[in-house]
Amino acid sequence: MWRVRRAAVACEVCQSLVKHSSGTKGNLPLQKLHLVSRSIYHTHHPTLKLQRPQLRTSLQQFSSLTSLPLRRLKLSPVKYGYQPHRNFWPARLAARLLKLRYLILGSAVGGGYTAKKTFDQWKDMIPDLSDYKWIVPDIVWEIDEYIDLEKIRKALPNSEDLAKLAPDFDKIAESLSLLKDFFTTGHKLVSEVIEASDLLLLLGSPGETAFRATDPGSESDKRYRKVSDKEKIDQLQEELLHTQLKYQRILERLEKENKELRKLVLQKDDKGIHHRKLKKSLIDMYSEVLDVLSDYDASYNTQDHLPRVVVVGDQSAGKTSVLEMIAQARIFPRGSGEMMTRSPVKVTLSEGPHHVALFKDSSREFDLTKEEDLAALRHEIELRMRKNVKEGCTVSPETISLNVKGPGLQRMVLVDLPGVINTVTSGMAPDTKETIFSISKAYMQNPNAIILCIQDGSVDAERSIVTDLVSQMDPHGRRTIFVLTKVDLAEKNVTSPSRIQQIIEGKLFPMKALGYFAVVTGKGNSSESIEAIRDYEEEFFQNSKLLKTSMLKAHQVTTRNLSLAVSDCFWKMVRESVEQQADSFKATRFNLETEWKNNYPRLRELDRNELFEKAKNEILDEVISLSQVTPKHWEEILQQSLWERVSTHVIENIYLPAAQTMNSGTFNTTVDIKLKQWTDKQLPNKAVEVAWETLQEEFSRFMTEPKGKEHDDIFDKLKEAVKEESIKRHKWNDFAEDSLRVIQHNALEDRSISDKQQWDAAIYFMEEALQARLKDTENAIENMVGPDWKKRWLYWKNRTQEQCVHNETKNELEKMLKCNEEHPAYLASDEITTVRKNLESRGVEVDPSLIKDTWHQVYRRHFLKTALNHCNLCRRGFYYYQRHFVDSELECNDVVLFWRIQRMLAITANTLRQQLTNTEVRRLEKNVKEVLEDFAEDSEKKVKLLTGKRVQLAEDLKKVREIQEKLDAFIEALHQEK
């Protein structure tokens, strides 16, 4: 049957060859066909009577020329016509190729149909995913907006261009016809070659046997070297180590590629290629929960049992270096043997397109790929640590929150604690050791905290302190991971490598752990990069005897394996405990809400920040109310306050010295000189001080004045602090004194009283001033001489010996004044001697200085009474004043002086009022706003000024609600990720 099929194929070959022959069309007679076709496949033709050669076997058609030796062959002369023994292999080859074409075509058609049917079945089995269309990024549905598909379709070649690329079958037919003519002449040679090759194929290929016999490797494979079992084990371990390192490098390469791809994806997300709002990552949500908890209670007394990775270890054991290797950046301050970690640092690691770091309370991003940003970050962390440490302390329990993002970072939350010390050195606070222990215990006593215990491998294990502390907090080692650092130094220094194995296996310490790891944190150079440390670590463990001798396993070494293990343990702990913690906060919230409803049923739950905003608005309203004070009120209080401030100087230094001259010309001259000196040096400054004090008093009155039922005493401390700080910051305009000096000088130069009303006002002003001074003088004399006889009898009071002396002296001096009412202000020496002798004659011993002091008060009272009597006389003196006191014995120059003082006070008060309302009130309002803004940013200040049970309860209630809401959102996201 297969020969019949071959005949059919051969017929088609012949027909195709004839059809494409040169210049002929139509069918040819059978005699002109190829001889092979006529002799083999057309046996039914009457002119053919061929027999098959008997010497050919069935193996000849599978002969090969590969192992046939070359030899000379005698070619038979070419004859035309029928040749019974000719067999043409090119024709058979062409027939086989053509048969292969149809097989391929049939297979393609059948396979295509089968594939289409299978595809339709699969298509029917696929569910309708239209409801999940939102999962696919928007860029897939909007790809036609970014890629012009029509342009690409036009750029593709059309069917005509593809046809040009196809082979020219006419030319192939011509080439086959030429081959037919050529091989017809040499068919004998080919036939013999085929027969020889078939024979060799039947007998086998001696060349292959010879090759195998001469292969030098065949003898070496049969030779086996006898080795000991120990050498076999060493060889297998070395091969295993190389295999592990090989796959480790492959895994790192794949992770690096994945890191780059994720970086590109995150960068595209940042650029907004698809505008869907990106959700927060799980680790960021969890970190926010911990930040709120840290603000809620820094001492963790609220039974906070949320997982964290707590990094503890002895000082200089390499805690910070391990943390930096996990974060892949040198982010912490460094020092040689000095305590650098002075407060807990919470580091939240998460994935991001760029390797950056930022603080919780700041928007600045530090690029961790740039050395200047790394230096700035380390400096900022050091400043924050020193700021947290209070005066007289070395460490602080306040936490610094830092977020580190970057491609390929393991998601977790780590807390770097101050290193445990054994001895307090100079420069440290005496309680530093106990404080560090209390901070470490506060974090480690959390039953869900993962303890990353760091042990320095380069020092003796017996010197470790942290292992005892960890074993107390986690005696069963269910949440402890032990890390041995500086293994490179340990391998060099330790005489017995098995000791390192005992440390890793936990046999030298009383503590137990979930896992044991060994890492290398560099060569001790602080300028080493993370990449250099990682390469050094990999190189060390690749050549280390610890791995070659199986003291350490491959999964127990390198910081990368440590990071993976800690991250897995962290998330496992989070999933197991977060829901239980959420339930506990729900119960806490219920208790706080119930307490608020029972104690403050009619008040809103305002926390400290909300209360501060309310107080801020009230304070600003009160400052604005200063501008509503009437000008009359300002001027009255300014004039009264200014006179109270300068009255003593006017009476004592200007009026009394001038009035005692007993001469009108001398009086006016003295007054003008003293007023000019006073105006140039003291008066403007005193006026500005009075105005500023008046503004403070009015501001304080508005701030502290009760508002009736709306008054809330919870704001009193805050308002007082704002008032004091605003007044402290306020500074009066320096140019005000210069302008005020000119105005006051011009006012005092004026002596012209225009009407009787002003004259009477001046007399009234003078009488009030003198009466006030007379009253003060009477009080001074009473204190000097003691109570009079009425008080002694009524109130049973007695005079002291000194008061009795003063009383006798006063009586003697009053006698002297009665004798001479126009006595000058000062006593002469002989008068002092006379008074003293008169007192001695009555048995009273006095000192001359006592006489002078008593005289000053006695004469002052006498003078003031005389001046008041003179005021009464001057009430009718306005007429004489208009005539300049011509032909009159009455002189009222003192009334003119007080009128000038009164007019100066009124003009000064008016000027100060204008400056207050136009400038200083606005500047004070600005200062108050600045103070309130500063207080708003100072949390400690708000805690200090806004106190009370109500505030604390509202604050706790808000924090617990916020924690619960964030925990619920985190749990929901966690379930969605599962």
Side-chain angles (χ1 to χ4, degrees):
M1 292 300 293
W2 61 275
R3 295 185 184 276
V4 174
R5 288 196 297 270
R6 278 191 172 182
V9 175
C11 291
E12 293 177 3
V13 174
C14 296
Q15 292 175 6
S16 64
L17 292 175
V18 173
K19 185 185 296 185
H20 296 87
S21 61
S22 59
T24 60
K25 294 181 179 180
N27 297 327
L28 293 179
L30 185 60
Q31 287 81 2
K32 295 185 178 182
L33 293 176
H34 199 280
L35 295 177
V36 176
S37 178
R38 286 193 331 205
S39 60
I40 300 175
Y41 301 103
H42 296 277
T43 56
H44 59 280
H45 197 275
T47 61
L48 299 177
K49 297 180 180 178
L50 296 176
Q51 302 292 330
R52 291 184 53 128
Q54 297 179 359
L55 298 175
R56 299 179 61 88
T57 65
S58 61
L59 295 174
Q60 291 175 347
Q61 55 185 324
F62 301 104
S63 61
S64 175
L65 301 175
T66 55
S67 58
L68 186 65
L70 298 177
R71 63 176 180 174
R72 287 177 179 269
L73 298 176
K74 183 177 180 180
L75 298 176
S76 303
V78 179
K79 296 182 180 180
Y80 295 95
Y82 171 71
Q83 299 293 336
H85 297 286
R86 293 176 182 173
N87 191 6
F88 296 97
W89 67 272
R92 289 190 297 163
L93 180 61
R96 293 180 182 178
L97 291 175
L98 291 175
K99 176 184 177 183
L100 181 61
R101 179 184 67 180
Y102 284 105
L103 291 174
I104 293 173
L105 180 61
S107 300
V109 173
Y113 174 76
T114 304
K116 181 178 181 303
K117 187 175 180 181
T118 305
F119 174 74
D120 293 339
Q121 294 177 354
W122 287 359
K123 186 176 180 182
D124 295 338
M125 294 170 60
I126 294 175
D128 186 9
L129 299 178
S130 59
D131 295 336
Y132 303 93
K133 183 179 178 180
W134 59 273
I135 297 177
V136 181
D138 297 339
I139 189 174
V140 176
W141 310 115
E142 301 172 0
I143 193 171
D144 55 343
E145 296 180 6
Y146 305 99
I147 302 175
D148 193 350
L149 300 177
E150 185 65 23
K151 186 176 180 180
I152 296 175
R153 187 184 66 79
K154 291 179 179 180
L156 294 175
N158 52 23
S159 57
E160 296 179 357
D161 296 334
L162 290 174
K164 293 179 181 179
L165 297 176
D168 191 349
F169 293 103
D170 295 336
K171 293 182 178 180
I172 292 175
E174 292 179 3
S175 300
L176 289 174
S177 63
L178 293 175
L179 285 172
K180 174 193 70 177
D181 295 338
F182 172 74
F183 284 109
T184 303
T185 58
H187 67 283
K188 283 187 177 181
L189 174 62
V190 175
S191 182
E192 292 178 359
V193 169
I194 290 174
E195 291 176 359
S197 64
D198 289 342
L199 182 60
L200 288 173
L201 183 61
L202 180 63
L203 298 176
S205 176
E208 183 179 358
T209 306
F211 176 76
R212 289 182 179 177
T214 58
D215 186 6
S218 60
E219 297 179 359
S220 63
D221 290 340
K222 297 178 181 180
R223 299 175 183 175
Y224 296 99
R225 182 166 52 91
K226 295 182 179 180
V227 294
S228 63
D229 294 339
K230 183 178 180 181
E231 292 178 351
K232 287 182 180 180
I233 293 174
D234 294 340
Q235 184 178 0
L236 290 174
Q237 288 179 348
E238 188 173 357
E239 291 178 359
L240 178 61
L241 177 61
H242 284 293
T243 304
Q244 289 176 342
L245 293 175
K246 174 184 175 182
Y247 284 110
Q248 184 88 3
R249 285 191 292 270
I250 294 174
L251 182 60
E252 290 178 356
R253 178 176 58 81
L254 293 175
E255 286 181 348
K256 185 176 181 181
E257 294 176 358
N258 184 32
K259 177 180 176 182
E260 295 296 330
L261 291 175
R262 292 183 65 86
K263 182 177 180 180
L264 293 175
V265 171
L266 292 172
Q267 285 176 346
K268 289 180 180 179
D269 287 342
D270 284 350
K271 293 177 181 177
I273 292 181
H274 49 83
H275 303 283
R276 289 183 304 169
K277 185 178 180 180
L278 295 177
K279 296 182 179 180
K280 289 185 179 179
S281 63
L282 281 175
I283 191 63
D284 290 336
M285 296 173 66
Y286 188 76
S287 178
E288 289 180 357
V289 175
L290 297 183
D291 288 337
V292 177
L293 279 171
S294 179
D295 296 338
Y296 179 46
D297 190 355
S299 61
Y300 299 102
N301 293 327
T302 59
Q303 298 301 318
D304 167 30
H305 293 164
L306 290 176
R308 300 169 183 81
V309 180
V310 181
V311 185
V312 295
D314 297 329
Q315 184 179 350
S316 302
K319 297 187 293 74
T320 302
S321 299
V322 172
L323 193 55
E324 287 179 337
M325 290 292 291
I326 295 175
Q328 300 181 13
R330 309 300 291 269
I331 58 178
F332 289 103
R334 311 187 69 81
S336 56
E338 182 183 358
M339 177 182 289
M340 301 304 296
T341 306
R342 296 180 178 269
S343 65
V345 182
K346 181 177 75 68
V347 182
T348 303
L349 302 179
S350 60
E351 280 194 311
H354 307 288
H355 202 186
V356 296
L358 66 159
F359 292 97
K360 178 192 70 172
D361 55 354
S362 174
S363 59
R364 178 187 177 184
E365 285 191 350
F366 297 87
D367 189 350
L368 301 183
T369 60
K370 298 180 180 179
E371 187 57 37
E372 56 270 18
D373 279 19
L374 281 171
L377 176 61
R378 291 192 290 265
H379 181 66
E380 180 67 20
I381 293 176
E382 185 174 1
L383 288 180
R384 287 174 178 256
M385 286 183 179
R386 296 188 181 277
K387 181 180 178 181
N388 289 343
V389 176
K390 298 180 180 179
E391 186 177 356
C393 301
T394 306
V395 294
S396 169
E398 298 182 16
T399 306
I400 299 174
S401 183
L402 179 68
N403 293 340
V404 178
K405 299 182 180 180
L409 292 181
Q410 298 296 324
R411 303 177 303 166
M412 67 182 99
V413 177
L414 303 102
V415 182
D416 186 22
L417 300 179
V420 179
I421 61 175
N422 190 20
T423 305
V424 177
T425 59
S426 60
M428 293 184 180
D431 61 341
T432 301
K433 180 179 178 181
E434 290 75 15
T435 305
I436 294 175
F437 268 80
S438 62
I439 294 174
S440 302
K441 289 181 179 180
Y443 278 90
M444 288 191 295
Q445 69 185 2
N446 178 2
N448 295 323
I450 301 168
I451 303 173
L452 197 62
C453 180
I454 308 299
Q455 171 64 35
D456 189 351
S458 62
V459 300
D460 295 335
E462 291 77 9
R463 295 169 56 185
S464 175
I465 310 172
V466 70
T467 51
D468 295 335
L469 181 62
V470 172
S471 61
Q472 294 176 9
M473 296 293 104
D474 183 24
H476 302 290
R478 295 173 181 172
R479 51 189 179 91
T480 301
I481 297 177
F482 180 82
V483 182
L484 186 67
T485 61
K486 305 178 185 179
V487 183
D488 52 341
L489 300 178
E491 188 180 32
K492 294 179 182 178
N493 300 333
V494 177
T495 55
S496 176
S498 60
R499 186 173 178 82
I500 300 178
Q501 183 180 8
Q502 292 177 352
I503 296 176
I504 292 296
E505 293 177 354
K507 296 180 179 179
L508 287 182
F509 298 104
M511 59 169 288
K512 300 179 182 179
L514 282 174
Y516 298 86
F517 290 86
V519 298
V520 174
T521 55
K523 300 179 181 179
N525 187 3
S526 60
S527 61
E528 285 183 291
S529 64
I530 295 296
E531 291 75 12
I533 296 175
R534 190 180 300 154
D535 295 339
Y536 171 71
E537 183 182 42
E538 181 180 349
E539 181 183 357
F540 168 76
F541 283 117
Q542 186 175 358
N543 301 322
S544 174
K545 296 180 181 179
L546 299 174
L547 279 180
K548 292 181 179 180
T549 57
S550 296
M551 293 185 182
L552 296 177
K553 297 181 176 60
H555 68 273
Q556 290 182 302
V557 298
T558 71
T559 315
R560 178 188 162 279
N561 290 333
L562 170 64
S563 178
L564 292 172
V566 173
S567 178
D568 292 341
C569 186
F570 170 76
W571 284 107
K572 179 181 178 183
M573 191 73 75
V574 167
R575 291 185 177 92
E576 291 176 353
S577 62
V578 68
E579 293 188 1
Q580 181 182 359
Q581 296 304 308
D583 293 337
S584 66
F585 277 103
K586 287 180 182 179
T588 305
R589 173 180 175 178
F590 176 78
N591 295 336
L592 292 174
E593 288 177 345
T594 304
E595 185 178 358
W596 180 273
K597 291 178 182 178
N598 294 331
N599 293 320
Y600 311 102
R602 298 182 181 180
L603 296 178
R604 288 192 302 124
E605 300 168 1
L606 298 179
D607 62 0
R608 188 171 278 110
N609 292 330
E610 293 170 339
L611 286 172
F612 182 83
E613 291 298 322
K614 183 179 178 181
K616 177 180 177 182
N617 295 330
E618 288 188 8
I619 293 172
L620 293 177
D621 292 340
E622 291 163 358
V623 174
I624 292 175
S625 63
L626 281 174
S627 60
Q628 299 176 358
V629 178
T630 61
K632 182 180 179 181
H633 179 72
W634 277 121
E635 291 182 10
E636 287 179 355
I637 57 178
L638 283 171
Q639 187 172 350
Q640 181 180 358
S641 301
L642 182 59
W643 172 242
E644 290 176 357
R645 181 65 60 86
V646 302
S647 60
T648 302
H649 181 83
V650 171
I651 300 296
E652 302 293 339
N653 298 331
I654 298 176
Y655 172 66
L656 290 179
Q660 291 171 6
T661 58
M662 302 299 178
N663 189 331
S664 176
T666 307
F667 178 86
N668 291 330
T669 302
T670 305
V671 166
D672 290 342
I673 293 173
K674 289 185 177 296
L675 287 177
K676 181 67 168 56
Q677 295 175 350
W678 183 45
T679 306
D680 291 341
K681 296 180 180 179
Q682 299 180 8
L683 183 58
N685 185 24
K686 294 288 185 181
V688 170
E689 290 179 359
V690 168
W692 175 221
E693 291 175 359
T694 303
L695 179 60
Q696 294 180 34
E697 292 175 359
E698 290 297 306
F699 178 55
S700 301
R701 181 173 65 85
F702 281 106
M703 292 280 286
T704 58
E705 186 178 9
K707 303 298 187 297
K709 295 182 179 180
E710 298 180 358
H711 178 70
D712 195 347
D713 56 358
I714 204 171
F715 300 143
D716 291 345
K717 291 176 66 176
L718 176 62
K719 289 182 179 181
E720 185 67 23
V722 171
K723 183 194 73 173
E724 293 178 358
E725 185 64 24
S726 302
I727 292 173
K728 182 180 179 181
R729 294 186 183 184
H730 187 83
K731 185 178 181 181
W732 202 273
N733 192 357
D734 296 334
F735 299 102
E737 292 187 11
D738 297 333
S739 60
L740 191 62
R741 181 178 293 107
V742 176
I743 294 172
Q744 291 172 339
H745 187 272
N746 294 332
L748 291 173
E749 286 291 327
D750 189 7
R751 296 186 180 85
S752 59
I753 304 175
S754 59
D755 54 15
K756 181 72 166 55
Q757 184 178 2
Q758 293 182 7
W759 180 267
D760 293 339
I763 292 177
Y764 179 74
F765 175 64
M766 178 179 175
E767 284 182 343
E768 282 189 342
L770 294 179
Q771 286 176 357
R773 291 294 161 183
L774 179 59
K775 185 177 181 180
D776 293 340
T777 304
E778 294 284 358
N779 292 332
I781 293 174
E782 184 178 357
N783 293 331
M784 182 184 296
V785 299
D788 57 3
W789 66 271
K790 290 183 179 180
K791 290 184 178 179
R792 290 199 303 271
W793 280 96
L794 292 176
Y795 302 107
W796 292 83
K797 292 182 178 180
N798 295 321
R799 293 173 177 171
T800 62
Q801 183 65 32
E802 185 179 359
Q803 289 176 343
C804 292
V805 173
H806 278 290
N807 184 52
E808 294 293 335
T809 307
K810 176 183 76 72
N811 293 333
E812 188 67 26
L813 293 173
E814 286 177 347
K815 292 178 183 180
M816 183 183 296
L817 279 175
K818 287 181 180 179
C819 297
N820 184 13
E821 293 184 356
E822 296 182 357
H823 193 284
Y826 300 99
L827 286 175
S829 300
D830 55 347
E831 293 176 334
I832 295 175
T833 303
T834 301
V835 171
R836 184 169 59 84
K837 288 183 178 180
N838 292 336
L839 292 173
E840 288 178 354
S841 64
R842 294 199 298 267
V844 179
E845 295 290 337
V846 294
D847 189 76
S849 61
L850 185 144
I851 298 174
K852 290 180 180 180
D853 293 340
T854 308
W855 168 256
H856 175 74
Q857 296 297 334
V858 171
Y859 180 81
R860 183 185 180 87
R861 183 176 63 177
H862 170 73
F863 177 82
L864 290 173
K865 288 182 178 180
T866 304
L868 285 173
N869 293 330
H870 183 69
C871 285
N872 292 327
L873 295 175
C874 289
R875 290 182 186 278
R876 302 182 300 271
F878 180 68
Y879 171 75
Y880 299 104
Y881 166 76
Q882 288 179 328
R883 299 181 59 183
H884 304 288
F885 299 103
V886 178
D887 299 331
S888 175
E889 295 180 358
L890 182 65
E891 294 182 356
C892 297
N893 293 319
D894 49 356
V895 177
V896 176
L897 169 63
F898 278 93
W899 178 83
R900 293 166 68 182
I901 298 296
Q902 186 182 30
R903 186 169 181 272
M904 182 272 299
L905 291 175
I907 294 175
T908 302
N910 181 269
T911 304
L912 292 175
R913 188 265 307 168
Q914 294 180 9
Q915 187 173 359
L916 279 172
T917 56
N918 297 334
T919 305
E920 301 303 328
V921 171
R922 295 179 182 178
R923 294 178 62 229
L924 179 62
E925 181 180 357
K926 181 181 178 181
N927 289 338
V928 170
K929 289 181 179 179
E930 292 177 354
V931 170
L932 289 172
E933 291 175 357
D934 294 342
F935 283 7
E937 297 177 357
D938 192 347
S939 300
E940 295 183 357
K941 185 74 76 175
K942 288 190 288 187
V943 171
K944 181 179 179 181
L945 298 176
L946 292 174
T947 58
K949 181 181 178 181
R950 192 181 92 189
V951 180
Q952 192 61 42
L953 185 58
E955 193 75 12
D956 294 344
L957 189 55
K958 178 193 174 184
K959 290 294 183 183
V960 170
R961 283 175 178 168
E962 186 178 1
I963 293 168
Q964 183 195 345
E965 291 173 359
K966 290 185 178 295
L967 275 175
D968 292 342
F970 174 74
I971 292 171
E972 183 180 355
L974 195 63
H975 290 329
Q976 290 178 358
E977 186 182 66
K978 288 183 180 179

